[in-house]
């Protein structure tokens, strides 16, 4: 049986962040601690904006070259997660967020995760292909008519009626 430590980590994270605030506050003071938290939030917003545009340009270039943009899309998702972690107040989330902004750390995470991710698209050398529209349902005139729906009146056996009347 495999045990996931993620729920335990998510429960322990606020307590660890409080401990981090107390330790940093004791060393540098309360005002400096608040300043560090605010600065990390601003840095998260600015880094997301700067890095996000770069990732989108790399995804476009990869697709224009006929390559698979999945690595670049994963990097973009990790940059969003990193920025959110920087915006969330706390020093542990800031450290994890700053690490995710580093390309070697993102590459390592992508190598570990790409075997678990299934992409359900039709990607060809020409790019992404949409759903085929060649499936047509052909009805005769007698099979369906809008006038029948209006002339018949409400269906009292409809489940929507039963919910409303209950």
């Amino acid at each position: 049986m495999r045990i996931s430590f993620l729920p335990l980590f998510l429960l322990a994270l606020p307590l660890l962040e409080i401990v981090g605030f107390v330790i940093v506050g004791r060393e540098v003071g309360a005002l400096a601690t608040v300043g560090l938290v605010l600065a990390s939030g601003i840095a998260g917003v600015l880094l997301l904006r700067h890095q996000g545009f770069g990732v989108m340009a790399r995804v476009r270039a990869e697709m224009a070259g006929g390559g698979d943009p999945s690595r670049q899309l994963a990097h973009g998702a990790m940059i969003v997660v990193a920025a959110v972690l920087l915006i969330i107040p706390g020093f542990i989330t800031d450290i994890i967020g700053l690490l995710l902004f580093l390309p070697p750390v993102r590459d390592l995470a992508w190598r570990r995760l790409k075997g678990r991710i299934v992409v359900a698209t039709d990607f060809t050398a020409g790019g992404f292909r949409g759903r085929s529209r060649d499936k047509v349902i052909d009805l005769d005139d007698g099979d369906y008519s809008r006038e029948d729906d209006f002339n018949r009146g409400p269906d009292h056996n409809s489940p929507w009626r039963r919910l409303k009347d209950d």
Side-chain angles (χ1 to χ4, degrees), residues 94-151:
D94 289 349
I95 291 169
I96 297 169
L98 286 173
L99 287 174
L100 275 177
F101 270 113
L102 300 173
V105 174
R106 290 195 311 257
D107 281 331
L108 175 69
W110 174 240
R111 281 195 301 272
R112 300 231 14 195
L113 292 175
K114 75 178 175 182
R116 298 179 181 189
I117 297 173
V118 177
V119 179
T121 61
D122 291 332
F123 185 79
T124 61
F128 288 101
R129 188 175 65 197
R131 292 184 188 175
S132 61
R133 306 260 185 221
D134 58 350
K135 295 181 180 177
V136 176
I137 299 173
D138 191 16
L139 297 174
D140 293 332
D141 288 336
D143 291 339
Y144 177 78
S145 171
R146 284 194 184 265
E147 289 90 32
D148 289 343
D149 289 341
F150 292 119
N151 293 335

Side-chain angles (χ1 to χ4, degrees), residues 15-154:
L15 298 174
L16 294 172
E17 293 290 7
I18 291 170
V19 170
F21 284 135
V22 169
I23 291 171
V24 171
R26 193 178 318 157
E27 294 297 320
V28 298
L31 193 58
T33 303
V34 172
L36 285 172
V37 170
L38 290 175
S40 71
I42 293 169
V45 170
L46 294 175
L47 283 170
L48 175 62
R49 184 173 182 186
H50 182 292
Q51 294 277 331
F53 286 130
V55 167
M56 290 310 297
R58 289 191 295 272
V59 166
R60 274 192 225 109
E62 191 76 34
M63 288 179 67
D68 181 13
S70 60
R71 178 180 171 272
Q72 297 302 328
L73 289 171
H75 277 250
M78 285 186 262
I79 286 172
V80 169
V81 169
V84 168
L85 288 174
L86 278 176
I87 293 169
I88 294 172
F91 295 111
I92 295 171
T93 54
D94 289 349
I95 291 169
I96 297 169
L98 286 173
L99 287 174
L100 275 177
F101 270 113
L102 300 173
V105 174
R106 290 195 311 257
D107 281 331
L108 175 69
W110 174 240
R111 281 195 301 272
R112 300 231 14 195
L113 292 175
K114 75 178 175 182
R116 298 179 181 189
I117 297 173
V118 177
V119 179
T121 61
D122 291 332
F123 185 79
T124 61
F128 288 101
R129 188 175 65 197
R131 292 184 188 175
S132 61
R133 306 260 185 221
D134 58 350
K135 295 181 180 177
V136 176
I137 299 173
D138 191 16
L139 297 174
D140 293 332
D141 288 336
D143 291 339
Y144 177 78
S145 171
R146 284 194 184 265
E147 289 90 32
D148 289 343
D149 289 341
F150 292 119
N151 293 335
R152 196 174 33 183

